[in-house]
């Protein structure tokens, strides 16, 4: 597989469209680092064996803008607050023995 030539990043023309985006295309290739057969979406790949990832600009079509994301929260909505994690366990000193059940 030959790499796509890089072109200068020109500002894209932004047209407001209400048409839904086409579904992504499943593509397949060999990992450029380890040769593992991998699959990706629209020519964007990540290898689960060695961790290689190709650059997003190598994809077959542009990525959607944030306002085109159907899962994006509506304006005015905030992200839900993260719940706090579990409380830290108390540390045991060298002269303390762990609690044992009889």
């Amino acid at each position: 597989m030959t790499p796509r030539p890089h072109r200068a990043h020109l500002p894209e023309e932004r047209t407001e469209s209400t048409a839904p985006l086409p579904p992504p295309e499943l593509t397949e290739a060999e990992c450029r680092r380890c040769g593992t057969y991998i699959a990706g979406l629209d020519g964007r790949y990540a290898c689960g064996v060695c961790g290689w990832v190709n650059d997003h600009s190598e994809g077959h079509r542009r990525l959607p803008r944030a306002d085109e994301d159907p899962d994006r929260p509506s304006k005015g909505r905030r992200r839900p607050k993260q719940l706090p994690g579990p409380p830290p366990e108390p540390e045991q000193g060298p002269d303390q023995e762990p609690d044992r059940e009889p």
Side-chain angles (χ1 to χ4, degrees):
M1 181 184 211
T2 58
R4 294 180 129 202
H6 293 280
R7 53 192 155 128
H9 291 282
L10 300 174
E12 293 182 9
E13 183 179 318
R14 296 192 178 221
T15 58
E16 297 302 318
S17 172
T18 58
L21 292 172
E25 177 187 352
L26 185 64
T27 54
E28 300 168 337
E30 285 186 10
C31 172
R32 294 182 197 162
R33 185 183 294 165
C34 69
T36 301
Y37 191 71
I38 54 177
L41 296 176
D42 293 331
R44 293 176 178 91
Y45 304 103
C47 179
V49 176
C50 70
W52 171 82
V53 177
N54 72 333
D55 190 69
H56 73 278
S57 65
E58 295 179 34
H60 298 164
R61 55 185 159 180
R62 72 172 182 80
L63 291 170
R65 297 187 317 260
D67 60 343
E68 296 172 325
D69 184 357
D71 298 326
R72 182 180 183 194
S74 60
K75 269 193 168 174
R77 282 188 55 202
R78 294 183 182 175
R79 283 191 160 169
K81 289 185 178 180
Q82 294 279 340
L83 295 175
E89 294 187 23
E91 293 185 23
Q92 301 261 338
D95 55 337
Q96 294 177 337
E97 291 186 25
D99 293 334
R100 295 185 190 190
E101 292 185 27

XYZ file of all heavy atoms in Angstrom:
803
model
N 0.844 -1.159 0.000
C 0.000 0.000 0.000
C 0.895 1.229 0.000
O 1.791 1.356 0.804
C -0.875 -0.059 1.241
C -1.829 1.048 1.374
S -2.598 0.749 2.954
C -4.140 1.350 2.778
N 0.650 2.130 -0.915
C 1.479 3.329 -1.000
C 0.805 4.468 -0.240
O -0.417 4.589 -0.234
C 1.673 3.761 -2.468
O 0.393 3.994 -3.033
C 2.407 2.688 -3.249
N 1.612 5.294 0.435
C 1.012 6.407 1.179
C 0.424 7.439 0.226
O 0.916 7.631 -0.882
C 2.169 6.976 1.981
C 3.412 6.468 1.365
C 3.052 5.231 0.593
N -0.625 8.080 0.674
C -1.236 9.143 -0.126
C -0.347 10.381 -0.072
O 0.233 10.669 0.959
C -2.601 9.504 0.431
C -3.588 8.401 0.299
C -4.897 8.848 0.861
N -5.862 8.560 -0.168
C -7.026 9.132 -0.284
N -7.402 10.033 0.564
N -7.857 8.810 -1.233
N -0.247 11.110 -1.160
C 0.550 12.344 -1.122
C -0.140 13.372 -0.238
O -1.357 13.477 -0.197
C 0.578 12.790 -2.583
C -0.592 12.122 -3.217
C -0.842 10.851 -2.452
N 0.687 14.113 0.497
C 0.150 15.156 1.364
C -0.022 16.425 0.554
O 0.830 16.798 -0.240
C 1.089 15.421 2.548
C 1.156 14.267 3.483
N 0.189 14.030 4.426
C 2.052 13.257 3.597
C 0.488 12.939 5.097
N 1.609 12.456 4.615
N -1.127 17.074 0.761
C -1.351 18.329 0.065
C -1.403 19.452 1.078
O -1.596 19.213 2.260
C -2.624 18.279 -0.766
C -3.829 17.859 -0.001
C -4.978 17.557 -0.952
N -5.859 16.624 -0.283
C -7.148 16.798 -0.159
N -7.713 17.835 -0.696
N -7.878 15.932 0.470
N -1.235 20.647 0.615
C -1.261 21.794 1.512
C -2.641 21.892 2.155
O -3.654 21.614 1.532
C -0.957 23.071 0.736
N -2.652 22.276 3.410
C -3.922 22.420 4.117
C -4.549 23.750 3.736
O -4.117 24.805 4.178
C -3.710 22.333 5.631
C -3.319 20.967 6.065
N -4.230 19.950 6.180
C -2.122 20.437 6.392
C -3.620 18.855 6.570
N -2.327 19.127 6.706
N -5.557 23.679 2.899
C -6.265 24.873 2.480
C -7.544 24.980 3.282
O -8.137 23.969 3.648
C -6.601 24.791 0.983
C -5.401 24.650 0.051
C -5.882 24.423 -1.365
C -4.536 25.890 0.122
N -7.986 26.176 3.561
C -9.246 26.294 4.294
C -10.376 25.681 3.472
O -10.522 25.981 2.293
C -9.439 27.793 4.484
C -8.436 28.459 3.628
C -7.404 27.454 3.238
N -11.129 24.802 4.116
C -12.220 24.143 3.410
C -13.418 25.073 3.320
O -13.689 25.847 4.221
C -12.626 22.870 4.151
C -11.560 21.816 4.128
C -12.027 20.551 4.849
O -13.220 20.464 5.197
O -11.198 19.688 5.039
N -14.124 24.957 2.212
C -15.335 25.739 2.063
C -16.389 25.122 2.968
O -16.653 23.931 2.925
C -15.786 25.686 0.602
C -16.995 26.525 0.338
C -17.381 26.457 -1.124
O -16.482 26.504 -1.968
O -18.576 26.342 -1.391
N -16.971 25.934 3.823
C -17.960 25.428 4.776
C -19.352 25.762 4.266
O -19.749 26.909 4.241
C -17.738 26.034 6.148
C -16.415 25.604 6.707
C -16.324 25.941 8.143
N -15.038 25.462 8.617
C -14.856 24.882 9.760
N -15.867 24.707 10.563
N -13.672 24.470 10.125
N -20.038 24.751 3.868
C -21.411 24.947 3.445
C -22.307 24.286 4.464
O -22.040 23.182 4.916
C -21.650 24.334 2.053
O -21.336 22.949 2.114
C -20.788 24.997 1.002
N -23.340 24.963 4.857
C -24.284 24.409 5.814
C -25.169 23.420 5.071
O -25.796 23.749 4.090
C -25.116 25.519 6.453
C -24.286 26.500 7.249
C -23.497 25.825 8.362
O -24.048 24.947 9.035
O -22.334 26.197 8.545
N -25.190 22.211 5.553
C -25.975 21.176 4.912
C -26.798 20.459 5.965
O -26.329 20.177 7.054
C -25.044 20.183 4.212
O -25.786 19.085 3.753
N -28.023 20.177 5.622
C -28.870 19.426 6.535
C -28.912 17.953 6.154
O -29.545 17.161 6.832
C -30.297 19.998 6.537
O -30.810 19.957 5.202
C -30.301 21.425 7.062
N -28.239 17.602 5.080
C -28.218 16.205 4.647
C -27.367 15.386 5.610
O -26.319 15.837 6.070
C -27.635 16.105 3.238
N -27.820 14.185 5.953
C -27.024 13.352 6.853
C -25.737 12.895 6.176
O -25.674 12.773 4.951
C -27.941 12.167 7.162
C -28.911 12.129 6.029
C -29.053 13.539 5.542
N -24.719 12.681 6.969
C -23.449 12.207 6.434
C -23.588 10.757 5.994
O -24.318 9.986 6.628
C -22.359 12.311 7.495
C -21.960 13.710 7.903
C -21.030 13.654 9.097
C -21.290 14.407 6.754
N -22.894 10.368 4.944
C -22.952 8.958 4.545
C -22.260 8.102 5.594
O -21.373 8.573 6.308
C -22.192 8.931 3.217
C -21.319 10.129 3.243
C -22.032 11.150 4.079
N -22.663 6.857 5.719
C -22.018 6.000 6.723
C -20.549 5.763 6.359
O -20.184 5.791 5.180
C -22.818 4.697 6.661
C -23.472 4.708 5.326
C -23.679 6.159 4.960
N -19.695 5.539 7.354
C -18.281 5.298 7.060
C -18.104 3.971 6.325
O -18.906 3.049 6.466
C -17.622 5.255 8.430
C -18.717 5.001 9.390
C -19.970 5.509 8.776
N -17.045 3.904 5.544
C -16.732 2.700 4.776
C -15.676 1.894 5.528
O -14.679 2.443 5.986
C -16.187 3.100 3.404
C -15.765 1.939 2.549
C -15.071 2.385 1.273
O -15.055 3.586 0.972
O -14.534 1.507 0.584
N -15.892 0.603 5.676
C -14.927 -0.274 6.318
C -13.814 -0.566 5.323
O -14.064 -1.028 4.210
C -15.596 -1.571 6.765
C -14.725 -2.530 7.552
C -14.295 -1.909 8.869
C -15.477 -3.819 7.811
N -12.569 -0.251 5.689
C -11.422 -0.478 4.812
C -10.429 -1.388 5.520
O -10.418 -1.479 6.743
C -10.750 0.863 4.445
O -10.438 1.582 5.639
C -11.659 1.712 3.584
N -9.610 -2.069 4.731
C -8.651 -3.032 5.276
C -7.267 -2.778 4.684
O -7.155 -2.348 3.546
C -9.100 -4.454 4.955
C -10.461 -4.777 5.546
C -11.043 -6.068 4.996
O -10.656 -6.490 3.890
O -11.898 -6.635 5.674
N -6.243 -3.054 5.475
C -4.860 -2.863 5.032
C -3.930 -3.651 5.947
O -4.375 -4.257 6.920
C -4.494 -1.380 5.072
N -2.641 -3.616 5.623
C -1.625 -4.200 6.497
C -1.001 -3.080 7.308
O -0.785 -1.974 6.804
C -0.537 -4.893 5.683
C -0.966 -6.221 5.109
C 0.195 -6.940 4.434
O 1.365 -6.505 4.583
O -0.076 -7.930 3.757
N -0.711 -3.366 8.576
C -0.041 -2.399 9.429
C 1.324 -2.084 8.824
O 2.058 -2.980 8.422
C 0.111 -2.968 10.839
S 1.126 -1.946 11.930
N 1.670 -0.822 8.768
C 2.960 -0.421 8.183
C 4.131 -0.745 9.088
O 5.267 -0.767 8.637
C 2.948 1.072 7.888
C 1.957 1.436 6.818
C 2.007 2.908 6.524
N 0.805 3.303 5.805
C 0.389 4.539 5.713
N 1.064 5.514 6.282
N -0.716 4.825 5.060
N 3.879 -0.994 10.368
C 4.970 -1.292 11.283
C 5.205 -2.800 11.422
O 6.321 -3.267 11.305
C 4.711 -0.682 12.651
C 5.894 -0.865 13.600
C 5.619 -0.340 14.984
N 5.455 1.108 14.970
C 4.937 1.795 15.970
N 4.514 1.186 17.049
N 4.826 3.095 15.897
N 4.125 -3.562 11.700
C 4.330 -4.989 11.997
C 3.722 -5.927 10.964
O 3.947 -7.132 11.023
C 3.783 -5.321 13.389
S 1.980 -5.252 13.516
N 2.938 -5.410 10.010
C 2.384 -6.245 8.954
C 1.085 -6.949 9.301
O 0.561 -7.706 8.487
N 0.541 -6.719 10.476
C -0.717 -7.337 10.870
C -1.843 -6.821 9.980
O -1.888 -5.648 9.634
C -1.047 -6.996 12.343
O 0.018 -7.472 13.159
C -2.348 -7.622 12.789
N -2.755 -7.710 9.596
C -3.901 -7.330 8.792
C -4.887 -6.591 9.690
O -5.330 -7.128 10.704
C -4.538 -8.585 8.192
C -5.566 -8.313 7.138
C -5.200 -7.833 5.891
C -6.901 -8.525 7.392
C -6.141 -7.584 4.914
C -7.856 -8.290 6.427
C -7.467 -7.810 5.189
O -8.412 -7.568 4.226
N -5.210 -5.330 9.362
C -6.074 -4.506 10.206
C -7.214 -3.919 9.384
O -7.136 -3.831 8.162
C -5.288 -3.372 10.899
C -4.522 -2.525 9.876
C -4.357 -3.915 11.957
C -3.770 -1.349 10.456
N -8.259 -3.529 10.065
C -9.398 -2.866 9.428
C -9.574 -1.501 10.058
O -9.189 -1.271 11.199
C -10.661 -3.697 9.612
N -10.155 -0.589 9.305
C -10.388 0.755 9.804
C -11.592 1.365 9.126
O -12.264 0.713 8.326
N -11.860 2.615 9.421
C -12.966 3.323 8.810
C -12.432 4.428 7.917
O -11.633 5.256 8.349
C -13.878 3.933 9.885
C -14.588 2.931 10.780
C -15.368 3.661 11.862
C -15.499 2.027 9.986
N -12.851 4.410 6.669
C -12.475 5.437 5.691
C -10.968 5.643 5.582
O -10.485 6.759 5.451
C -13.147 6.776 6.034
C -14.658 6.716 5.856
O -15.119 5.938 5.004
O -15.359 7.448 6.561
N -10.196 4.571 5.674
C -8.754 4.669 5.492
C -7.995 5.152 6.704
O -6.821 5.500 6.606
N -8.625 5.176 7.855
C -7.943 5.554 9.097
C -7.775 4.288 9.919
O -8.742 3.587 10.199
C -8.748 6.612 9.845
C -8.781 7.917 9.072
C -9.662 8.944 9.747
N -9.638 10.184 9.013
C -10.486 10.497 8.043
N -11.422 9.657 7.695
N -10.391 11.645 7.428
N -6.528 3.999 10.300
C -6.225 2.728 10.944
C -5.501 2.901 12.267
O -4.784 3.883 12.470
C -5.325 1.875 10.027
C -5.913 1.643 8.664
C -5.454 2.344 7.560
C -6.929 0.724 8.490
C -6.001 2.130 6.305
C -7.482 0.499 7.237
C -7.014 1.213 6.152
O -7.560 0.998 4.918
N -5.664 1.917 13.131
C -4.909 1.805 14.372
C -4.657 0.317 14.583
O -5.589 -0.480 14.556
C -5.675 2.386 15.543
N -3.402 -0.071 14.784
C -3.044 -1.476 14.966
C -3.122 -1.820 16.452
O -2.469 -1.187 17.278
C -1.641 -1.744 14.432
S -1.123 -3.462 14.647
N -3.883 -2.847 16.770
C -4.007 -3.291 18.145
C -2.841 -4.128 18.616
O -2.711 -4.401 19.804
N -1.965 -4.550 17.703
C -0.822 -5.384 18.076
C 0.371 -4.530 18.477
O 0.937 -4.691 19.558
C -0.451 -6.340 16.915
C 0.793 -7.138 17.244
C -1.621 -7.263 16.600
N 0.749 -3.586 17.617
C 1.960 -2.797 17.899
C 1.672 -1.344 18.276
O 2.564 -0.622 18.689
C 2.905 -2.836 16.708
S 2.327 -1.912 15.262
N 0.417 -0.878 18.099
C 0.069 0.480 18.489
C 0.237 1.528 17.403
O -0.001 2.705 17.641
N 0.611 1.114 16.187
C 0.786 2.076 15.103
C -0.564 2.688 14.731
O -1.589 2.015 14.707
C 1.403 1.386 13.883
C 1.421 2.255 12.669
C 2.335 3.207 12.367
C 0.470 2.253 11.604
N 2.013 3.806 11.172
C 0.874 3.237 10.685
C -0.683 1.529 11.339
C 0.170 3.504 9.524
C -1.392 1.801 10.182
C -0.965 2.782 9.286
N -0.567 3.999 14.440
C -1.765 4.705 14.006
C -1.380 5.583 12.828
O -0.363 6.277 12.875
C -2.320 5.596 15.147
C -3.523 6.388 14.691
C -2.653 4.761 16.360
N -2.188 5.558 11.747
C -1.873 6.454 10.642
C -2.466 7.833 10.908
O -3.353 8.000 11.740
C -2.316 5.880 9.290
C -3.823 5.879 9.086
O -4.595 5.828 10.030
N -4.238 5.905 7.845
N -1.966 8.825 10.220
C -2.407 10.201 10.419
C -3.834 10.369 9.906
O -4.214 9.769 8.900
C -1.467 11.153 9.672
C -1.727 12.583 10.031
O -1.446 12.977 11.179
O -2.239 13.325 9.165
N -4.621 11.177 10.589
C -6.023 11.370 10.202
C -6.164 11.943 8.800
O -7.152 11.710 8.128
C -6.736 12.275 11.205
C -6.341 13.707 11.097
N -5.207 14.208 11.668
C -6.937 14.735 10.441
C -5.118 15.492 11.388
N -6.138 15.846 10.655
N -5.161 12.674 8.325
C -5.241 13.284 7.000
C -5.141 12.263 5.876
O -5.421 12.585 4.728
C -4.148 14.338 6.841
O -2.870 13.727 6.879
N -4.764 11.033 6.189
C -4.660 9.994 5.161
C -6.002 9.318 4.865
O -6.076 8.440 4.038
C -3.652 8.930 5.602
C -2.243 9.447 5.716
C -1.281 8.384 6.178
O -1.466 7.207 5.814
O -0.351 8.725 6.907
N -7.049 9.723 5.546
C -8.359 9.126 5.332
C -8.895 9.413 3.940
O -8.433 10.309 3.243
N -9.910 8.645 3.542
C -10.463 8.768 2.197
C -11.397 9.958 2.032
O -11.676 10.372 0.927
C -11.229 7.493 1.824
C -10.342 6.298 1.801
N -10.843 5.021 1.823
C -9.002 6.143 1.775
C -9.852 4.150 1.796
N -8.728 4.813 1.783
N -11.933 10.467 3.126
C -12.788 11.648 3.057
C -12.616 12.451 4.343
O -12.088 11.958 5.328
C -14.247 11.290 2.808
C -14.824 10.335 3.791
C -16.228 9.959 3.393
N -16.587 8.718 4.038
C -17.728 8.124 3.912
N -18.635 8.646 3.151
N -17.986 7.006 4.539
N -13.107 13.671 4.322
C -12.902 14.559 5.463
C -13.655 14.041 6.685
O -14.653 13.352 6.567
C -13.335 15.977 5.131
C -14.825 16.163 5.041
C -15.198 17.639 4.906
N -16.629 17.814 4.875
C -17.415 17.822 5.949
N -16.903 17.673 7.139
N -18.719 17.981 5.824
N -13.150 14.408 7.844
C -13.836 14.072 9.077
C -14.973 15.063 9.291
O -14.874 16.228 8.899
C -12.860 14.143 10.257
C -11.787 13.062 10.276
C -10.744 13.370 11.329
C -12.417 11.708 10.543
N -16.059 14.637 9.914
C -17.164 15.569 10.140
C -16.790 16.637 11.163
O -15.995 16.400 12.065
C -18.288 14.677 10.673
C -17.616 13.461 11.168
C -16.354 13.303 10.394
N -17.368 17.816 11.006
C -17.181 18.880 11.982
C -18.022 18.571 13.201
O -18.939 17.750 13.162
C -17.590 20.229 11.375
C -16.738 20.632 10.178
C -17.061 22.041 9.703
N -18.474 22.359 9.657
C -19.225 22.345 8.559
N -18.692 22.007 7.407
N -20.505 22.661 8.603
N -17.736 19.235 14.301
C -18.459 18.989 15.547
C -19.953 19.248 15.387
O -20.780 18.513 15.920
C -17.889 19.848 16.664
N -20.312 20.272 14.614
C -21.740 20.569 14.462
C -22.452 19.559 13.564
O -23.672 19.556 13.481
C -21.957 21.995 13.963
C -21.306 22.266 12.618
O -20.433 21.485 12.203
O -21.676 23.267 11.985
N -21.709 18.683 12.899
C -22.309 17.627 12.083
C -22.463 16.316 12.850
O -23.020 15.361 12.338
C -21.450 17.372 10.840
C -21.370 18.540 9.909
C -20.358 18.330 8.794
O -19.312 17.704 9.030
O -20.632 18.796 7.690
N -21.976 16.282 14.081
C -22.042 15.074 14.892
C -23.462 14.890 15.429
O -23.953 15.725 16.179
C -21.054 15.179 16.056
C -20.992 13.927 16.907
O -21.753 12.968 16.641
O -20.179 13.904 17.844
N -24.127 13.782 15.070
C -25.500 13.605 15.553
C -25.574 13.347 17.054
O -26.618 13.541 17.658
C -25.997 12.387 14.768
C -24.773 11.666 14.350
C -23.699 12.697 14.203
N -24.487 12.944 17.686
C -24.476 12.667 19.124
C -24.031 13.856 19.954
O -23.921 13.751 21.171
C -23.551 11.479 19.424
C -24.030 10.213 18.756
O -25.264 10.045 18.642
O -23.191 9.402 18.344
N -23.753 14.968 19.315
C -23.289 16.153 20.038
C -24.432 16.715 20.876
O -25.556 16.857 20.385
C -22.809 17.201 19.046
C -22.268 18.441 19.698
C -21.819 19.426 18.663
N -21.240 20.582 19.329
C -21.002 21.715 18.714
N -21.273 21.850 17.442
N -20.462 22.714 19.374
N -24.171 17.058 22.143
C -25.231 17.652 22.972
C -25.689 18.980 22.380
O -24.910 19.714 21.779
C -24.559 17.875 24.325
C -23.316 17.092 24.298
C -22.934 16.882 22.871
N -26.951 19.289 22.558
C -27.475 20.546 22.028
C -26.837 21.722 22.760
O -26.324 21.571 23.871
C -28.988 20.592 22.171
O -29.339 20.483 23.530
N -26.911 22.895 22.149
C -26.310 24.087 22.763
C -26.950 24.350 24.106
O -28.141 24.165 24.290
C -26.498 25.305 21.863
C -25.382 25.510 20.920
C -25.471 26.876 20.301
C -24.173 27.152 19.588
N -24.186 28.367 18.854
N -26.153 24.786 25.038
C -26.660 25.090 26.361
C -26.569 23.911 27.313
O -26.646 24.085 28.512
N -26.417 22.721 26.793
C -26.275 21.555 27.667
C -24.826 21.380 28.027
O -23.929 21.578 27.227
C -26.745 20.281 26.960
C -28.240 20.160 26.925
C -28.669 18.813 26.406
N -28.073 17.735 27.176
C -27.929 16.503 26.717
N -28.333 16.196 25.512
N -27.384 15.572 27.452
N -24.576 21.001 29.249
C -23.215 20.745 29.700
C -22.981 19.264 29.789
O -23.919 18.478 29.875
C -22.988 21.350 31.084
C -23.041 22.843 31.091
C -22.734 23.331 32.474
N -22.818 24.775 32.509
C -22.700 25.467 33.606
N -22.512 24.866 34.756
N -22.781 26.772 33.574
N -21.719 18.903 29.797
C -21.376 17.501 30.011
C -21.739 17.111 31.426
O -21.618 17.921 32.346
C -19.878 17.281 29.829
C -19.459 17.241 28.406
C -18.055 16.750 28.348
N -17.810 16.256 27.015
C -16.645 15.940 26.547
N -15.591 16.039 27.319
N -16.498 15.507 25.338
N -22.161 15.874 31.640
C -22.463 15.460 33.011
C -21.195 15.451 33.852
O -20.103 15.176 33.355
C -23.035 14.054 32.856
C -22.662 13.612 31.495
C -22.409 14.832 30.674
N -21.365 15.787 35.150
C -20.208 15.797 36.036
C -19.719 14.376 36.250
O -20.507 13.439 36.323
C -20.574 16.416 37.375
C -20.805 17.905 37.295
C -21.044 18.473 38.666
C -21.219 19.971 38.576
N -21.463 20.557 39.879
N -18.405 14.244 36.366
C -17.807 12.938 36.640
C -18.083 12.566 38.080
O -17.947 13.395 38.980
C -16.287 12.993 36.406
C -15.902 13.217 34.965
C -15.958 11.920 34.178
O -15.926 10.840 34.736
N -16.067 12.032 32.877
N -18.477 11.336 38.295
C -18.669 10.865 39.655
C -17.312 10.649 40.297
O -16.360 10.231 39.622
C -19.460 9.561 39.654
C -20.892 9.659 39.137
C -21.514 8.273 39.075
C -21.706 10.559 40.037
N -17.191 10.931 41.595
C -15.895 10.707 42.242
C -15.583 9.218 42.280
O -16.471 8.370 42.335
C -16.083 11.280 43.643
C -17.557 11.275 43.862
C -18.196 11.436 42.508
N -14.315 8.919 42.250
C -13.873 7.530 42.301
C -14.032 6.951 43.689
O -14.458 7.645 44.629
N -13.679 5.692 43.867
C -13.792 5.088 45.195
C -12.828 5.764 46.172
O -11.769 6.238 45.779
C -13.408 3.630 44.961
C -12.635 3.625 43.699
C -13.128 4.786 42.889
N -13.190 5.801 47.467
C -12.301 6.455 48.438
C -11.008 5.654 48.582
O -11.005 4.429 48.434
C -13.106 6.444 49.734
C -14.102 5.348 49.559
C -14.383 5.262 48.089
N -9.904 6.344 48.843
C -8.639 5.623 49.000
C -8.677 4.750 50.254
O -9.284 5.104 51.258
C -7.592 6.730 49.115
C -8.358 7.938 49.544
C -9.748 7.781 49.016
N -8.043 3.596 50.172
C -7.995 2.698 51.320
C -6.961 3.206 52.312
O -5.914 3.726 51.917
C -7.641 1.287 50.867
C -8.738 0.674 50.008
C -8.453 -0.780 49.709
O -7.694 -1.417 50.468
O -9.000 -1.265 48.723
N -7.227 3.064 53.627
C -6.244 3.535 54.619
C -4.966 2.701 54.520
O -5.001 1.498 54.294
C -6.956 3.332 55.951
C -8.052 2.361 55.678
C -8.405 2.486 54.225
N -3.868 3.399 54.688
C -2.577 2.708 54.602
C -2.299 1.973 55.902
O -2.609 2.448 56.990
C -1.456 3.711 54.319
C -1.571 4.329 52.940
C -0.392 5.221 52.632
O 0.678 5.034 53.253
O -0.537 6.094 51.788
N -1.687 0.821 55.803
C -1.334 0.007 56.967
C 0.113 0.321 57.332
O 0.990 0.318 56.481
C -1.452 -1.475 56.615
C -2.838 -1.863 56.165
C -3.634 -2.498 57.276
O -3.053 -2.999 58.212
N -4.938 -2.478 57.164
N 0.335 0.601 58.580
C 1.698 0.852 59.055
C 2.436 -0.466 59.221
O 1.847 -1.550 59.196
N 3.776 -0.433 59.427
C 4.546 -1.680 59.549
C 4.208 -2.458 60.822
O 4.329 -3.673 60.853
C 6.003 -1.227 59.551
C 5.971 0.241 59.874
C 4.614 0.742 59.481
N 3.743 -1.774 61.883
C 3.443 -2.486 63.118
C 1.956 -2.864 63.220
O 1.559 -3.481 64.196
C 3.845 -1.637 64.336
C 3.209 -0.272 64.318
O 2.834 0.185 63.223
O 3.071 0.343 65.396
N 1.167 -2.528 62.197
C -0.243 -2.886 62.202
C -0.452 -4.130 61.355
O 0.114 -4.255 60.269
C -1.095 -1.748 61.632
C -1.105 -0.512 62.467
C -1.909 0.590 61.786
O -2.075 0.571 60.576
N -2.393 1.534 62.574
N -1.248 -5.026 61.865
C -1.573 -6.224 61.097
C -2.928 -6.027 60.433
O -3.797 -5.365 60.986
C -1.621 -7.451 62.024
C -0.257 -7.829 62.540
C -0.332 -9.137 63.325
O -1.248 -9.933 63.079
O 0.543 -9.333 64.151
N -3.108 -6.606 59.254
C -4.417 -6.482 58.624
C -5.489 -7.171 59.454
O -5.218 -8.120 60.176
C -4.245 -7.138 57.265
C -2.978 -7.904 57.340
C -2.180 -7.359 58.466
N -6.717 -6.631 59.352
C -7.827 -7.247 60.087
C -8.058 -8.658 59.575
O -8.117 -8.886 58.377
C -9.103 -6.412 59.914
C -8.979 -5.060 60.575
O -8.187 -4.958 61.524
O -9.669 -4.112 60.133
N -8.172 -9.583 60.528
C -8.439 -10.973 60.155
C -9.746 -11.398 60.772
O -10.047 -11.048 61.908
C -7.332 -11.890 60.643
C -6.024 -11.606 59.992
C -5.025 -12.615 60.423
N -3.699 -12.174 59.956
C -2.647 -12.922 60.011
N -2.716 -14.125 60.525
N -1.499 -12.486 59.565
N -10.503 -12.162 60.024
C -11.762 -12.665 60.543
C -11.472 -13.946 61.322
O -10.687 -14.788 60.864
C -12.725 -12.939 59.416
C -13.178 -11.648 58.725
C -14.239 -11.925 57.682
O -14.956 -12.931 57.828
O -14.323 -11.151 56.738
N -12.114 -14.137 62.510
C -11.871 -15.358 63.296
C -12.488 -16.586 62.688
O -13.280 -16.642 61.881
C -12.481 -15.059 64.656
C -13.323 -13.854 64.496
C -12.972 -13.213 63.190
